[in-house]
Amino acid sequence: MNQRIEYALASEFGPSSEIIDLKKFASEAIALSHSVQNLQVDPVSIAQECSVADIQSSLTGVWNSPMLSAYLYRSHDIAIASLHGSTSRLAKTRKRSAVTSEPYKELGDVQQLRANLDSIPLASWKLMSDAALFTRPPRNADYNTLTAIKTSDTDMDTSSDGIDSQVLITFTTHFKVQWRSSVLSKSSQHILMASQTLGDLFEVMPCVSNESPEELVEHGKVVGYKETNGMHGSSGCVIVINGLAYGDGLNEEDYADKLIQHLKITKSTSAIKKARTTMHDTTLSSLSLQINVPYWLLHQGNCEHFIVIDQIRLKHSKDPVTGYPLTLYQAPASLDLCQACTKIPAVWSIVGDVRLEASPCLLCGPCWQSMGEPTNEDEEVVVLPLPKYKLW
């Protein structure tokens, strides 16, 4: 697929749902749930009818066999390479390796598996030529740094039996990539209860801009930075939902006021108005929201995010009772390479060193060590460690 079209499709949302009044949804969904529970049904017969144990056992048997699973991987790579033909450099490599490698010796079990797959009557089972438009190499956003659901350390009582706490909302956050402002990339996914606030959503969102150290200014000049361990919070925030700007209310003039003032100065035709409540006082249940519609969020001066609702549902008996907001997904942070060797990720930010071509300059450990300490004692060189990331 053409990369321009691919990035455009990845940055689009929709189709959007109708406007959902969360309070009305909660009351109607709970009433419907109670009426379904009162029906005389046999759960054993339903479980037997919906059972997929036969399919599960066959799939488990195939994937537990190294020989059969290797055959499936190899067949998939060959099929993808043949779909792309000579249009992709990656496809060329895969196709060349598939052709030049030694012939695969199929044993009896492999032949039986291939025969079973070929006999599937479903027409869409095999990859058609049009499938090339929907295949691509994995991106950074396709990986999840979380190995388990991450709970939040909050003092809020999330075990309440109120109606609002029985509704769960799944949010996905997106950000603009550095190399093209029109392209969006997924950054995280969270589950909140309808009884929680927009502020709770903002506080749980990870963002690398929150890790920028605070500047130490003397006489109008930056003389250093405060070292921080992890994210230190944001200097302000505003989120726009249904034409209303919700600020954080932490200052007398918050981001919502500044946004309205900016729209007036630029003579914008946008009809955005400041909301009566702040984001920390606005519960999700008090809003009318839409699924697959991006809501705009701004913080740290010029860091923009788009928040999209993926799902609104009732809480299930197997859902966690406490620990909300939950974090289901968090994309790996893009690490900057060393500006000297351009081979490994940088770990130091060097400010004010005249020997370097830029200030600040990002260097890896070996490159900074090989340079040695500055020889000019009059230089005010600041060495700041970059944030470290780990799997959860």
Side-chain angles (χ1 to χ4, degrees):
M1 180 188 293
N2 183 284
Q3 283 193 350
R4 184 174 299 177
I5 300 177
E6 183 179 342
Y7 289 133
L9 293 176
S11 302
E12 289 186 357
F13 305 101
S16 61
S17 70
E18 297 180 356
I19 298 178
I20 302 173
D21 187 332
L22 291 184
K23 281 191 174 297
K24 184 178 180 181
F25 169 82
S27 58
E28 292 182 353
I30 291 177
L32 180 61
S33 176
H34 290 165
S35 63
V36 171
Q37 292 176 0
N38 294 330
L39 295 177
Q40 298 296 327
V41 295
D42 185 6
V44 178
S45 61
I46 295 178
Q48 293 177 351
E49 182 180 355
C50 301
S51 175
V52 292
D54 54 339
I55 302 177
Q56 181 182 6
S57 60
S58 60
L59 291 177
T60 304
V62 171
W63 285 114
N64 287 343
S65 171
M67 184 177 301
L68 298 181
S69 59
Y71 167 76
L72 293 178
Y73 277 117
R74 177 183 173 85
S75 302
H76 179 267
D77 288 341
I78 294 176
I80 294 298
S82 62
L83 283 176
H84 286 277
S86 59
T87 59
S88 171
R89 182 174 60 183
L90 178 62
K92 288 182 180 179
T93 305
R94 289 183 174 179
K95 191 173 183 179
R96 183 169 59 251
S97 62
V99 173
T100 57
S101 59
E102 297 181 358
Y104 190 83
K105 298 179 180 179
E106 292 187 358
L107 300 180
D109 293 341
V110 176
Q111 294 177 355
Q112 182 64 35
L113 175 62
R114 180 163 60 86
N116 293 338
L117 295 177
D118 293 339
S119 63
I120 294 177
L122 187 62
S124 60
W125 175 258
K126 296 182 179 179
L127 293 176
M128 304 299 180
S129 58
D130 295 340
L133 299 175
F134 304 95
T135 59
R136 58 168 177 79
R139 297 177 184 159
N140 188 62
D142 295 329
Y143 300 98
N144 189 2
T145 60
L146 302 181
T147 57
I149 296 177
K150 183 179 177 182
T151 59
S152 300
D153 297 330
T154 175
D155 296 332
M156 179 179 178
D157 183 12
T158 57
S159 60
S160 173
D161 294 331
I163 294 180
D164 294 343
S165 63
Q166 300 304 312
V167 176
L168 300 182
I169 308 173
T170 303
F171 293 90
T172 299
T173 64
H174 303 258
F175 68 98
K176 293 183 177 181
V177 298
Q178 296 179 353
W179 46 271
R180 183 177 296 176
S181 60
S182 60
V183 176
L184 303 179
S185 180
K186 183 170 65 173
S187 57
S188 62
Q189 188 176 47
H190 312 278
I191 295 181
L192 281 80
M193 297 189 301
S195 58
Q196 294 181 298
T197 66
L198 291 174
D200 294 324
L201 172 62
F202 171 67
E203 294 296 338
V204 78
M205 285 175 47
C207 181
V208 293
S209 65
N210 289 338
E211 300 174 346
S212 300
E214 184 179 352
E215 296 178 345
L216 298 177
V217 181
E218 293 183 2
H219 308 292
K221 181 181 178 181
V222 178
V223 297
Y225 299 87
K226 290 183 179 179
E227 293 189 16
T228 58
N229 296 323
M231 296 189 181
H232 58 78
S234 182
S235 59
C237 176
V238 61
I239 179 172
V240 179
I241 298 178
N242 299 332
L244 295 178
Y246 296 87
D248 53 20
L250 299 180
N251 300 311
E252 185 176 352
E253 185 182 20
D254 61 8
Y255 266 41
D257 296 308
K258 295 178 180 179
L259 174 62
I260 301 301
Q261 183 180 2
H262 173 75
L263 294 177
K264 291 181 179 179
I265 294 175
T266 57
K267 298 181 180 179
S268 173
T269 58
S270 176
I272 296 178
K273 299 180 180 179
K274 182 180 179 180
R276 296 182 178 180
T277 57
T278 66
M279 62 170 55
H280 298 285
D281 298 325
T282 305
T283 59
L284 299 175
S285 61
S286 64
L287 302 173
S288 295
L289 303 173
Q290 288 179 275
I291 296 176
N292 291 334
V293 171
Y295 297 108
W296 183 72
L297 183 147
L298 176 72
H299 72 124
Q300 293 288 22
N302 62 350
C303 185
E304 297 179 74
H305 295 264
F306 291 90
I307 301 173
V308 180
I309 298 176
D310 299 323
Q311 187 182 67
I312 301 176
R313 63 176 177 87
L314 287 181
K315 183 183 291 186
H316 191 267
S317 58
K318 294 185 178 180
D319 285 318
V321 178
T322 60
Y324 292 89
L326 304 176
T327 302
L328 307 180
Y329 162 85
Q330 184 172 336
S334 298
L335 302 180
D336 294 308
L337 294 179
C338 173
Q339 294 178 243
C341 65
T342 66
K343 292 182 179 180
I344 59 177
V347 296
W348 299 105
S349 176
I350 314 301
V351 182
D353 195 330
V354 296
R355 298 174 297 173
L356 302 174
E357 61 180 358
S359 179
C361 185
L362 306 182
L363 297 179
C364 63
C367 288
W368 175 241
Q369 185 177 5
S370 63
M371 289 188 61
E373 296 295 331
T375 56
N376 189 354
E377 297 181 355
D378 295 333
E379 291 185 40
E380 296 180 357
V381 178
V382 179
V383 181
L384 191 69
L386 296 179
K388 298 180 181 179
Y389 302 94
K390 63 179 179 180
L391 293 175
W392 288 89

